[in-house]
Structures are given as structure tokens and as C-alpha cells.
Amino acid sequence: MRAHAVLELLAVDDFDAALTAGLLDAPACVTCEPRCNALLAAARDAQLTALAARDRHRARDARLRRRKAEREAARVPKALPTQTPALPAAAADVLARALAKARTPR
């Protein structure tokens, strides 16, 4: 009898209610004519195909978003140091002497 309830819902184009009533796992009715069971099987197959397509679309969308984020992360330049490191004291002394020597007239 569940197959009949699902078919009645499909007849009025209420797919949500048909899914809730068990469209995807409704058994074929043994007392019905073959056309009735064929309609149920066709509706079930169409819904399974649509659900599979939706899953593939969602997976593709997630994959594209992940790839885009990876590309954008690769484009961001590495952070440069904000300051140049200070010279060691010995190097600063050598530089100061060289500058003083260069500035004195000969």
C-alpha cells in the first residue's frame, strides 16, 4: 500500500511528500499492473539520478573553492621583515671609522 501512497503523491507533483512517504525505498506492489510499478521505478530512478547529480555538483563546487583558495594563497607574497637587522657593534664601529676617514680632507 505504501507504493500506492507514493504514486498518488507523484500524481499531484508533490515530490517532497513522496520522498517523505518513502519513494526511494518503496517496494513494488505485487497486486498492481506492471504500468503502476514501472511508474514507481521510473520516479525512483529519476530521483536517485537527481540526488547523485546534486552530490556531484556539491563536490565539484567544494573542489573549485578549495583550488581557488590554494591559488590565492600561493599568490600572496611572503612577508618581508619590517626592519632591517641592526649591524653588529664591531661592524658599526668599522663603518663609522671608514666614514670618518672618508670625510676628512687630504
Side-chain angles (χ1 to χ4, degrees):
M1 293 313 271
R2 192 166 78 174
H4 292 282
V6 170
L7 285 172
E8 287 175 10
L9 293 169
L10 290 173
V12 294
D13 290 333
D14 194 354
F15 288 103
D16 292 331
L19 282 171
T20 304
L23 169 64
L24 299 179
D25 58 354
C29 181
V30 293
T31 61
C32 285
E33 59 187 62
R35 186 182 77 76
C36 181
N37 287 324
L39 286 174
L40 181 63
R44 180 183 315 122
D45 292 344
Q47 188 61 39
L48 288 172
T49 301
L51 290 172
R54 182 184 68 186
D55 290 341
R56 287 190 307 272
H57 176 73
R58 287 180 177 170
R60 178 181 181 270
D61 188 45
R63 188 175 56 249
L64 290 175
R65 278 188 270 120
R66 187 191 77 237
R67 286 181 183 170
K68 181 180 179 182
E70 289 171 355
R71 281 192 308 269
E72 288 175 358
R75 279 190 214 133
V76 174
K78 302 273 189 282
L80 298 176
T82 55
Q83 301 178 1
T84 57
L87 290 174
D93 290 340
V94 170
L95 182 59
R97 283 193 303 266
L99 285 174
K101 187 177 180 180
R103 289 184 183 148
T104 58
R106 291 188 179 195

